[in-house]
């Protein structure tokens, strides 16, 4: 039985996907939404129990107003359509990030789907919307008193450690996504543009993850350490 995974995805490349086809950027975002649905369906069979998908960063407000409002509308309609699908497939959907800056329709859609899907036990899908990891960390720290330890910060963030992070679209950066939670995540960057990402690509990514050895600062598997230290030779070699 394979262990359960927390997969995080930076779904990047929608704009370029559209541009390559001579389409408006919003067509790329719509295709990106379809890609997310395919990946969500495929995830549980690969041992993924938590999937955090970056849908809109707090820095994405800098984009032209027409793109931002198109994205917000897409989000609202996506959530409205997904409630029934989530229920059918045992998906619990929640959002992370700020809600106070979202349009009313999007905020209501999040509240509704969170309530309707709260019993989903097969997959926890977390959509990061108006999300900034640095802001989330600052909020978590403000809630803590005294000298919190790592566990207290993790608890305050209420966000599990990431096992595998995939970023599509070719860029190799985190763009303020799950900075604390990715401390020991395996990182996988692919040129594949997000709308082209599907179950086959997910399968390959998880297989690559399973081949990697995670050491968390320890030694590779099968290496038991330095058998015995000859103090004299260490001192002599220092001159
Ligand atoms: C990611 O795709 C989706 C969002 C950031 C909302 P982009 O829109 O960043 O696509 P590119 O990077 O311009 O191709
Ligand atoms: C990160 O992509 C945010 C999402 C995928 C939602 P961006 O396209 O906004 O990131 P940068 O600007 O290239 O770092
Ligand atoms: Mg981008």
């Amino acid at each position: 039985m394979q262990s359960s995974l927390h997969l995080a995805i930076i779904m990047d490349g929608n704009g370029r996907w559209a541009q390559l086809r001579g389409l408006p950027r919003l067509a790329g975002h719509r295709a990106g939404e379809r890609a997310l649905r395919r990946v969500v369906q495929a995830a549980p069979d690969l041992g993924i129990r938590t999937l955090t998908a970056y849908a809109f960063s707090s820095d994405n407000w800098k984009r032209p107003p027409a793109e931002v409002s198109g994205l917000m509308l897409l989000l609202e309609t996506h959530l409205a359509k997904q409630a029934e699908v989530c229920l059918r497939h045992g998906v619990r959907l929640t959002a992370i990030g700020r809600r106070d800056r979202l349009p009313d329709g999007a905020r209501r859609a999040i509240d509704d789907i969170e309530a309707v899907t709260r019993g989903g036990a097969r997959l926890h899908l977390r959509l990061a919307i108006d999300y900034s990891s640095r802001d989330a960390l600052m909020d978590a720290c403000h809630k803590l008193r005294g000298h919190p330890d790592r566990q207290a910060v993790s608890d305050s963030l209420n966000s599990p450690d990431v096992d595998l992070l995939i970023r599509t679209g070719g860029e190799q950066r985190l763009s303020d996504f799950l900075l604390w939670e990715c401390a020991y995540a395996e990182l996988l960057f692919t040129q594949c543009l997000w709308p082209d990402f599907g179950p086959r690509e997910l399968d390959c990514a998880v297989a690559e993850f399973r081949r990697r050895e995670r050491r968390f600062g320890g030694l590779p598997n099968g290496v038991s350490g330095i058998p015995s230290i000859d103090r004299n030779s260490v001192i002599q070699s220092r001159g």
Side-chain angles (χ1 to χ4, degrees):
M1 176 66 191
Q2 291 177 328
S3 61
S4 62
L5 293 186
H6 178 190
L7 169 69
I9 307 183
I10 301 177
M11 308 183 290
D12 197 21
N14 296 349
R16 280 163 283 166
W17 183 92
Q19 203 179 2
L20 281 168
R21 288 159 179 78
L23 297 169
R25 290 180 60 85
L26 269 175
H29 294 312
R30 277 194 291 272
E33 188 234 332
R34 293 193 289 276
L36 177 62
R37 280 193 267 150
R38 292 193 297 268
V39 164
V40 167
Q41 278 215 352
D45 288 341
L46 295 172
I48 295 158
R49 291 288 165 270
T50 307
L51 168 55
T52 308
Y54 210 1
F56 189 88
S57 79
S58 294
D59 286 320
N60 288 148
W61 294 112
K62 294 175 191 160
R63 295 192 177 196
E67 179 167 350
V68 170
S69 52
L71 277 165
M72 290 297 148
L73 196 59
L74 182 64
L75 181 72
E76 185 182 331
T77 49
H78 168 76
L79 293 174
K81 278 187 292 187
Q82 283 310 100
E84 199 206 306
V85 183
C86 286
L87 276 179
R88 209 171 336 121
H89 294 283
V91 177
R92 171 178 164 224
L93 194 154
T94 60
I96 57 171
R98 283 179 67 163
R99 302 202 185 175
D100 57 304
R101 299 190 289 197
L102 300 179
D104 289 346
R107 197 168 43 243
R108 261 197 307 273
I110 292 172
D111 291 344
D112 289 349
I113 199 160
E114 283 186 339
V116 168
T117 66
R118 66 180 175 274
R122 212 163 154 250
L123 175 74
H124 183 188
L125 171 61
R126 308 189 320 152
L127 284 186
I129 302 162
D130 193 2
Y131 175 83
S132 152
S133 182
R134 288 192 287 199
D135 287 352
L137 268 168
M138 285 198 309
D139 287 350
C141 291
H142 283 143
K143 284 188 218 144
L144 295 165
R145 309 223 174 275
H147 301 283
D149 57 16
R150 288 180 183 178
Q151 190 57 49
V153 176
S154 286
D155 292 347
S156 184
L157 277 171
N158 193 22
S159 184
D161 283 353
V162 173
D163 296 301
L164 170 63
L165 176 121
I166 300 173
R167 181 172 186 144
T168 59
E171 313 296 351
Q172 301 191 11
R173 54 177 171 259
L174 292 179
S175 302
D176 201 7
F177 189 47
L178 302 175
L179 303 179
W180 175 278
E181 296 89 329
C182 280
Y184 272 102
E186 294 296 326
L187 309 179
L188 199 152
F189 300 102
T190 167
Q191 294 294 328
C192 178
L193 301 172
W194 175 245
D196 292 328
F197 197 90
R200 203 156 42 96
E201 288 72 19
L202 182 64
D203 211 14
C204 290
V206 172
E208 154 82 29
F209 168 80
R210 303 267 185 216
R211 281 193 296 273
R212 293 193 190 175
E213 185 186 22
R214 304 180 79 189
R215 293 196 283 274
F216 300 97
L219 295 175
N221 282 334
V223 177
S224 55
I226 303 166
S228 65
I229 298 172
D230 177 349
R231 254 183 81 80
N232 288 335
S233 74
V234 172
I235 293 164
Q236 277 162 18
S237 71
R238 280 195 194 139

